[in-house]
Every structure is written in structure tokens, then in C-alpha cells.
Amino acid sequence: MQITPKQLEQVNDRIKALVSSGSFYGKKLAEAGITQVNSYEEFLNLPFSEKADLRDAYPLGLMTAPEEKIVRIHSSSGTTGKPVIIPYTQKDVDDWAIMFARCYEVAGITEKDRIHITPGYGLWTAGIGFQAGCERLGAMAIPMGPGNTEKQLEMMQAMGSTVLCATSSYALMLAEEIAKRGIRDKIRLKKGVIGSERWSAKMRERIANELGIELYDIYGLTEIYGPGIGINCEHNTGMHYWDDYLYLEIIDPETGEPVPDGEKGEIVITTLVKEGAPLIRYRTHDLSRIIPGECPCGRHYPRIDVIDGRTDDMMKIKGVNVFPKQIEEVLATFTEISSEYQIRISHLDGKDTMRIYVESTGDVDFAALSKAIADRVKSRIGFTPIVKVVEIGILPRSEKKSKRVIDERYD
Ligand code: ZN
């Protein structure tokens, strides 16, 4: 999707702010002699930014507005190395809340709703984003944070929560717990707003059915405000994103070249009005595509497809490139198994082995089912995995994101 003249103007305004502040990216742009871009072609020559570079700016190197304008910082998890610190001005905080409130509105949530927020509060952007958007909308926030399922269910019943905000893993865990306790008729949930980890159609269906709610995927990342930069509408034809705040590109992750609308690639985001830490052409490593054409809902905001994985998800096993999504799609064709699975890759006697654990109820023939799954996976990826069927409820459920792929080869 080509950049509009208005967006190009906004990019130039951000380039000017970056360069004049002498911040981390300002210096990089100045060294490259970039002061403005005059066309889409020139925009495409702007260098990408990467999470690894953002770490080099630790702690406050990204700060582009004067310090007295900064009202808050957030930080993205540093699983490897230093965390990334993102400074926000009051305008950034407000803009984020406006975008988030827009997400709730698109999901049909109103000021009469009671929003049960289970994502965590703290340095990361999750809980507070859901809350600020809720307050902006005028709905009632129930700021639970994660954990303590007992308390979650008690409050959900007492407060009559109508909207559940959660990761898909935690939503599933709560759904299972509600079913187990037989309290579904005491739960007033109507909608779920689910954070943007990749989740299978099967898991989605299970959460929706068990809780009897409509589900919405919300997109976002800490480097770019946080969650709330896009959500699907009632037609469920991909996620609308807010092109008055962001310019999105889809690129070929190998070549860095833009791909035509409709084709899959990596999402690259440029912030158009962010002050505290503007980012130009930030590589998210999330895989999706632009959905061409108009949405039946009539909203003019463009759409991306649900997140299809990450560029770094790819596993090389026995010399074959395998994506977890491929395995997931095969598993989805078996009605006898639950939505949960775990893939373990190990290196034994000089050979790579892939084991897939799936869950089923006790009334199926585990051996026959394993063989059927192994055969179908082989026809998809080219080699035969070891499939183990376990009792339902055995695989770990998580309050955050479930780790479904464990590579033990390099431990
Ligand atoms: Zn729509």
C-alpha cells in the first residue's frame, strides 16, 4: 500500500524531530545525510529499524522529545540481552488511549460494558493499555492483572464482567475452569478481546464455544505504543489498523522489498505522530498480509490479516524448513484432539527428531490416532514425526503465552 502525501508529510515531520533531537535514530539519519523524503520511492530508501538496534539505545537513547515532555516509559521484555525502553509524551499516551478506545468501539463495546482486564500491569504495555482505552471509552475497567484464577472467577461473577481481555492461553484456561466448575450460567461475558499472539482456529472456536462469546484479535507491540493499533470488526475479515497514526508496509523478509497488496510478508511500521520515540520502518518480524479492497463494514481503515507467525518461527529439522503453523493446520483436521499441542525437537544419535504431543479424551484408540496424525504430518512436511497422544488437560496451560515449540537441540 503506497504512502499517501499526508503520511509522507508526517514522516518528514518525524524525520525533522529525530534529527534535531540528536536521539539514537536522529544521529543515524543525520549520518546517512537524510533530512527528508519526497516520494514513495525515496521513502523506500529509508533504512529499516530493528529491535536489536533499539537495545543499543538503552536506556534512554530513543528519547526524541525534550525530557520535560516525557511522562512515562514502557519496556519490552528482554528475554535476550538488554530490554528496550520506550519513552512516551502525554500526547503519545493520549493517542494510544484514543486508538485503544477505537478498538473497543469497533468490537461493539460501549460505555455500558464492564471490562475484565487480565493482562499484566507494570513496565510492559499490556494491562495499562487495555485500561486507558476502557476509561477513554467510558466503560468500567476491572483491573485484575494475571493469575489467581479463583479471584478472577469470583470477580467475574460478582461484577458481571461483560468483556474479557486476555491472552488466548489465559482465555482458554479460564474457559476450561468455568466449564469444570459448571458456572457458565453465572458468567455474563459477551465478548473477548484477545492479545495478538498467533492462535489456531481450533483454539479460537473452543474459547468462543465454551464461553459463548464473540472474539476479537487486537494487535500491537510495545515498540509501537502497545496493544490497540488494530482489531478485527464484526465481519471478521482481518484487523483494521489506524492509518492516521501508523503507516504499515508488508515486505519480503529476505529481500526487504515491498510485496504487492494481498501477498504475505513481514509487517514494517512507521509511526506518523509519535513524539517520545518515533520509529521509521520498524521491522516487527510478524507475518501477515494487507487485505485488499473494502471491508463490508464500510470503515475506511485498511486491514491486515491475523498474525500468521513470526519470521523467526521457522525451524530447520532434518534439513527441511518447518513452520509451527503447518503442524497446527494438520492437527486442526483431527476432531478427536484438543486445541493444545507441544512440539519438541531434539538431536539424538546424530539425527534430528520431532515429537508432537497432542491431547485427547480416553475414548479413542491412542495408537491408531498417533499413526494417523504422523502420516498426515509426513504428507505435509516430508518426514515422519513421533506423535504421542496424552490425556486431555496434561499439556501445560499458561497465563501468558504458551510455549508450544521446544527446541532441545542447542541446550
Ligand atoms: Zn470491517
Side-chain angles (χ1 to χ4, degrees):
M1 187 166 291
Q2 285 222 4
I3 195 160
T4 65
K6 167 95 197 278
Q7 288 173 324
L8 202 58
E9 210 174 286
Q10 289 171 313
V11 169
N12 280 325
D13 189 52
R14 291 304 83 206
I15 291 175
K16 208 181 287 171
L18 282 160
V19 172
S20 68
S21 73
S23 64
F24 181 78
Y25 276 111
K27 279 189 207 133
K28 287 205 166 189
L29 291 169
E31 275 161 26
I34 297 164
T35 50
Q36 63 171 344
V37 285
N38 299 308
S39 63
Y40 177 56
E41 288 66 36
E42 282 185 35
F43 175 84
L44 293 180
N45 287 328
L46 288 172
F48 291 115
S49 43
E50 284 274 4
K51 188 155 182 172
D53 303 332
L54 267 53
R55 290 204 175 92
D56 293 340
Y58 182 85
L60 280 171
L62 295 175
M63 191 161 73
T64 297
E67 165 125 28
E68 60 272 24
K69 296 271 185 211
I70 303 297
V71 299
R72 190 199 285 173
I73 59 116
H74 281 293
S75 160
S76 72
S77 56
T79 40
T80 49
K82 288 179 284 197
V84 170
I85 306 281
I86 307 288
Y88 293 66
T89 64
Q90 187 59 52
K91 181 181 189 298
D92 296 337
V93 167
D94 292 345
D95 285 349
W96 182 22
I98 292 167
M99 283 188 274
F100 213 124
R102 197 186 279 171
C103 286
Y104 283 136
E105 274 165 3
V106 168
I109 295 164
T110 72
E111 66 271 26
K112 289 210 169 126
D113 277 297
R114 300 178 179 184
I115 305 185
H116 194 97
I117 301 166
T118 69
Y121 286 76
L123 273 175
W124 51 97
T125 49
I128 199 165
F130 282 91
Q131 169 138 357
C134 170
E135 290 170 353
R136 186 93 195 182
L137 179 71
M140 185 198 295
I142 307 167
M144 298 300 298
N148 199 345
T149 301
E150 200 66 43
K151 183 90 183 162
Q152 299 278 1
L153 296 178
E154 191 191 305
M155 287 293 278
M156 203 179 272
Q157 294 173 76
M159 298 309 302
S161 309
T162 58
V163 177
L164 172 67
C165 302
T167 60
S168 55
S169 318
Y170 198 43
L172 177 67
M173 192 195 246
L174 289 170
E176 287 181 335
E177 208 48 49
I178 287 165
K180 206 192 282 174
R181 294 170 191 222
I183 54 170
R184 194 175 137 182
D185 58 337
K186 298 198 177 77
I187 300 291
R188 291 179 51 203
L189 291 177
K190 289 183 301 189
K191 291 168 197 274
V193 177
I194 307 297
S196 67
E197 64 181 321
R198 190 176 56 81
W199 51 319
S200 65
K202 196 163 183 166
M203 185 164 176
R204 189 188 186 90
E205 208 175 293
R206 238 182 111 207
I207 298 170
N209 289 341
E210 298 228 335
L211 291 174
I213 59 176
E214 279 169 27
L215 294 174
Y216 293 85
D217 285 283
I218 197 158
Y219 183 54
L221 53 163
T222 296
E223 295 81 6
I224 314 285
Y225 297 99
I229 64 176
I231 195 165
N232 60 289
C233 70
E234 67 277 19
H235 294 278
N236 202 13
T237 53
M239 300 183 282
H240 288 280
Y241 67 86
W242 318 133
D243 61 345
D244 42 352
Y245 291 90
L246 309 161
Y247 175 61
L248 252 79
E249 301 169 78
I250 305 289
I251 62 158
D252 177 331
E254 301 282 327
T255 64
E257 294 297 320
V259 301
D261 287 355
E263 270 181 38
K264 198 195 282 187
E266 179 182 338
I267 303 174
V268 172
I269 304 179
T270 297
T271 64
L272 298 173
V273 292
K274 209 158 183 261
E275 297 177 337
L279 286 176
I280 307 255
R281 304 195 84 201
Y282 181 67
R283 292 189 65 158
T284 65
H285 293 279
D286 288 330
L287 294 169
S288 183
R289 63 188 187 100
I290 297 272
I291 298 180
E294 287 288 310
C295 181
C297 75
R299 290 183 184 90
H300 61 271
Y301 298 111
R303 290 168 296 160
I304 48 168
D305 213 338
V306 289
I307 305 303
D308 200 25
R310 290 183 50 77
T311 56
D312 33 23
D313 275 347
M314 195 180 76
M315 313 174 274
K316 206 166 181 106
I317 307 165
K318 296 177 193 268
V320 180
N321 292 337
V322 181
F323 282 93
K325 176 125 199 288
Q326 295 173 298
I327 310 289
E328 200 173 277
E329 282 170 356
V330 173
L331 297 180
T333 61
F334 289 87
T335 50
E336 306 94 318
I337 58 178
S338 82
S339 57
E340 296 309 285
Y341 64 91
Q342 198 176 71
I343 300 171
R344 293 186 98 95
I345 306 148
S346 46
H347 194 75
L348 286 172
D349 308 323
K351 277 193 312 191
D352 287 342
T353 346
M354 178 164 77
R355 280 170 295 159
I356 304 172
Y357 293 85
V358 296
E359 290 181 338
S360 191
T361 49
D363 51 10
V364 297
D365 180 344
F366 280 17
L369 180 59
S370 310
K371 184 167 184 323
I373 295 173
D375 289 347
R376 221 175 281 176
V377 171
K378 177 174 194 270
S379 71
R380 178 74 189 265
I381 61 171
F383 62 87
T384 310
I386 302 163
V387 178
K388 304 249 191 218
V389 183
V390 299
E391 293 278 333
I392 199 146
I394 295 281
L395 293 177
R397 265 68 169 163
S398 156
E399 287 166 14
K400 292 187 180 171
K401 298 180 182 181
S402 291
K403 193 163 169 56
R404 296 209 166 81
V405 179
I406 297 162
D407 197 335
E408 296 163 329
R409 287 176 297 184
Y410 313 106
D411 286 352

